[in-house]
């Protein structure tokens, strides 16, 4: 299993949520030293939701991180959230930092950090903002690169949500995947610790990330997780980290076998033609929506009829179940179809579609 991990070279970042004492930091590093760890992470200044909890040990830990590098050969990285943090990091010669989710949301802070780092050779990783806003995430990356800095990775740690859910933070996988589509050369890492908030879910989130083509993981690792001063339920021991990475299957991005490659291409061509047919069907359905719109206009009735929409959703759920499709996802798909149908009907109401069709 280990050979699967190392042969594809995922970037693996491990280390505690927060540095708590020199002994703690060095003990974790010692236990990680023989594992394929690319960076040793440690929070020093902790952005806690509520005051009165452990807010980090502060810059004294930067010296410990340099010892981690000297004694165990692990490259340290820390979170910086303001220009004072940057000053300390530069003073101690730390080469890699990350911007946390609560900082990425704030363009003023991101700009100030970028300016404070300008001219340095510090490498940066940028976590997604706490809110599901891709433009903010991209904006933070751009602010760093425009200051001449090197962004080595984006880190997906999920998005805040209210109430109790399976995961601490909503992964909303479509957002990082869209980031990857728009910035294909950017290294994308997953932080399953902050997504899941629970060590028992780390493997499922990590495997999902590996299956989606992520380039690596950041995992909170502590020598005594249950005694950690922050994020206790999600931290794992270095030994559990070693088991975790041994169990993740990192698949190849492309097929090398020519026969399999050919059959994959054929299947993709079929998928493309089916997608085309799906869109043609939707277009036909929209023609019906326009006809319905005309009747509604003539009868002067509202475009949106809640009972009818409920009826459609009930059908979708029943048919999805019969067809072994996720009724939740198919309901979402139909929300979009319904939106397009309402858009077409309101265009009919206001005469635009009628004008366009008469021209054809
Ligand atoms: C962290 O990595 O410890 C941290 C505070 O994460 P986030 O910014 O993702 O909340
Ligand atoms: Mn944490």
């Amino acid at each position: 299993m280990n050979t699967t991990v190392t042969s594809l070279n995922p970037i693996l970042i491990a280390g505690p949520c927060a540095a708590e004492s020199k002994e703690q930091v060095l003990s974790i590093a010692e236990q990680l030293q023989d594992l394929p760890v690319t960076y040793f992470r440690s929070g020093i200044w902790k952005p806690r939701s509520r005051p009165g909890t452990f807010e980090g040990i502060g810059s004294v830990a930067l010296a410990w991180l340099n010892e981690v590098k000297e004694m165990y050969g692990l490259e340290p990285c820390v979170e910086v959230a303001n220009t004072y943090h940057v000053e300390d990091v530069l003073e101690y010669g730390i080469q890699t930092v990350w911007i946390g989710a609560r900082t990425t949301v704030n363009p003023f802070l991101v700009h100030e950090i970028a300016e404070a780092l300008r001219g340095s050779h510090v490498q940066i990783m940028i976590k997604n903002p706490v809110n599901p806003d891709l433009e903010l995430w991209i904006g933070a990356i751009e602010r760093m690169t425009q200051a001449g800095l090197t962004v080595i990775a984006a880190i997906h740690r999920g998005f805040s949500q209210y109430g109790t859910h399976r995961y601490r933070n909503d992964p909303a996988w479509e957002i990082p995947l869209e980031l990857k589509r728009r910035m294909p050369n950017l290294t994308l890492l997953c932080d399953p610790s902050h997504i899941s908030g629970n060590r028992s879910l780390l493997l499922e989130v990590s495997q999902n990330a590996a299956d989606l083509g992520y380039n690596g993981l950041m995992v909170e690792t502590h020598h005594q997780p249950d005694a950690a001063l922050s994020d206790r339920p999600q931290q794992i021991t270095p030994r559990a980290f070693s088991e975790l990475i041994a169990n993740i299957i990192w698949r190849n991005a492309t097929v090398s076998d020519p026969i399999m490659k050919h059959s994959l291409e054929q299947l993709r061509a079929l998928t493309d033609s089916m997608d085309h047919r799906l869109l043609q069907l939707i277009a036909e359905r929209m023609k019906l929506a326009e006809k319905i719109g005309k009747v509604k206009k003539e009868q002067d009735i509202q475009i949106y009829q809640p009972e009818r929409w409920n009826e459609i959703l009930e059908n979708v759920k029943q048919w999805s179940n019969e067809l072994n499709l996720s009724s939740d996802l198919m309901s979402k798909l139909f929300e979009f179809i319904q939106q397009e149908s309402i858009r077409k009907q309101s265009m009919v109401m206001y005469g635009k579609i009628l004008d366009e069709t008469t021209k054809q």
Side-chain angles (χ1 to χ4, degrees):
M1 277 298 199
N2 250 332
T3 48
T4 322
V5 172
T6 44
S7 65
L8 291 174
N9 280 331
I11 294 169
L12 297 174
I13 305 176
C17 174
E20 297 167 5
S21 68
K22 184 168 168 178
E23 294 64 41
Q24 174 240 17
V25 168
L26 293 182
S27 160
I28 299 168
E30 186 191 8
Q31 294 176 55
L32 287 173
Q33 64 178 319
D34 295 326
L35 299 175
V37 170
T38 326
Y39 295 98
F40 181 86
R41 67 151 280 152
S42 178
I44 301 246
W45 303 280
K46 297 305 298 176
R48 307 308 301 282
S49 301
R50 303 284 300 273
T53 48
F54 177 61
E55 289 180 344
I57 199 103
S59 49
V60 63
L62 293 170
W64 310 339
L65 290 180
N66 280 332
E67 281 190 46
V68 163
K69 186 171 179 172
E70 276 159 30
M71 292 173 66
Y72 304 112
L74 296 170
E75 188 66 39
C77 62
V78 292
E79 174 178 354
V80 290
N82 62 39
T83 55
Y84 304 111
H85 299 163
V86 171
E87 276 170 27
D88 288 351
V89 156
L90 292 176
E91 190 187 321
Y92 280 84
I94 301 287
Q95 289 298 306
T96 311
V97 299
W98 82 84
I99 308 292
R102 290 168 188 76
T103 308
T104 308
V105 284
N106 186 331
F108 288 130
L109 276 177
V110 173
H111 172 76
E112 282 172 19
I113 293 170
E115 287 309 311
L117 284 169
R118 192 186 275 277
S120 75
H121 295 291
V122 170
Q123 329 182 84
I124 301 149
M125 297 184 275
I126 303 193
K127 287 200 171 192
N128 65 256
V130 279
N131 55 328
D133 185 337
L134 178 58
E135 299 308 314
L136 265 182
W137 197 359
I138 292 179
I141 295 167
E142 286 170 346
R143 284 192 163 86
M144 293 297 164
T145 51
Q146 283 174 12
L149 299 160
T150 310
V151 173
I152 53 168
I155 305 175
H156 170 217
R157 52 77 79 198
F159 303 90
S160 291
Q161 53 190 345
Y162 187 64
T164 314
H165 300 268
R166 179 172 176 78
Y167 297 136
R168 175 181 176 186
N169 287 294
D170 175 10
W173 296 100
E174 66 278 15
I175 298 176
L177 291 184
E178 175 62 8
L179 175 70
K180 189 81 181 164
R181 191 188 68 77
R182 284 170 59 177
M183 301 181 126
N185 297 324
L186 184 67
T187 296
L188 179 61
L189 307 181
C190 178
D191 172 346
S193 308
H194 287 92
I195 289 181
S196 68
N198 181 336
R199 60 183 76 112
S200 70
L201 299 171
L202 290 176
L203 179 59
E204 96 180 27
V205 174
S206 304
Q207 186 60 58
N208 204 36
D211 291 343
L212 292 171
Y214 282 52
N215 308 102
L217 304 170
M218 177 188 255
V219 181
E220 287 189 340
T221 316
H222 195 287
H223 67 320
Q224 293 169 335
D226 288 325
L229 299 182
S230 56
D231 286 350
R232 232 172 247 180
Q234 70 196 34
Q235 302 214 53
I236 52 171
T237 60
R239 176 194 275 267
F241 172 76
S242 157
E243 282 163 16
L244 173 75
I245 57 172
N247 281 310
I248 299 167
I249 303 165
W250 295 90
R251 299 176 207 281
N252 290 309
T254 48
V255 188
S256 43
D257 180 289
I259 297 175
M260 291 315 285
K261 198 172 172 190
H262 179 69
S263 89
L264 191 63
E265 275 162 11
Q266 275 183 327
L267 288 170
R268 284 185 171 149
L270 277 176
T271 315
D272 286 345
S273 87
M274 228 174 247
D275 287 346
H276 189 206
R277 272 166 53 204
L278 269 176
L279 281 172
Q280 284 171 329
L281 260 182
I282 292 176
E284 274 177 44
R285 193 190 185 283
M286 292 308 149
K287 289 265 174 292
L288 285 179
E290 284 170 24
K291 283 189 182 153
I292 294 174
K294 274 186 210 167
V295 176
K296 286 180 179 167
K297 187 180 181 192
E298 278 158 24
Q299 300 301 311
D300 202 21
I301 57 168
Q302 290 171 356
I303 292 179
Y304 179 61
Q305 304 274 330
E307 310 78 52
R308 173 63 187 142
W309 174 227
N310 275 334
E311 205 174 275
I312 294 177
L313 270 185
E314 284 311 311
N315 285 339
V316 168
K317 281 183 190 148
Q318 191 196 321
W319 296 333
S320 303
N321 289 332
E322 285 167 15
L323 294 165
N324 207 11
L325 295 166
S326 151
S327 73
D328 281 353
L329 288 178
M330 294 306 109
S331 301
K332 274 193 190 143
L333 174 66
F334 271 77
E335 274 168 33
F336 291 117
I337 291 180
Q338 168 78 345
Q339 268 175 33
E340 178 66 353
S341 168
I342 287 181
R343 196 179 68 88
K344 291 277 192 218
Q345 291 188 35
S346 54
M347 284 167 98
V348 169
M349 281 272 181
Y350 296 109
K352 290 188 185 158
I353 285 278
L354 284 180
D355 292 353
E356 279 171 24
T357 33
T358 38
K359 260 188 238 154
Q360 280 170 4

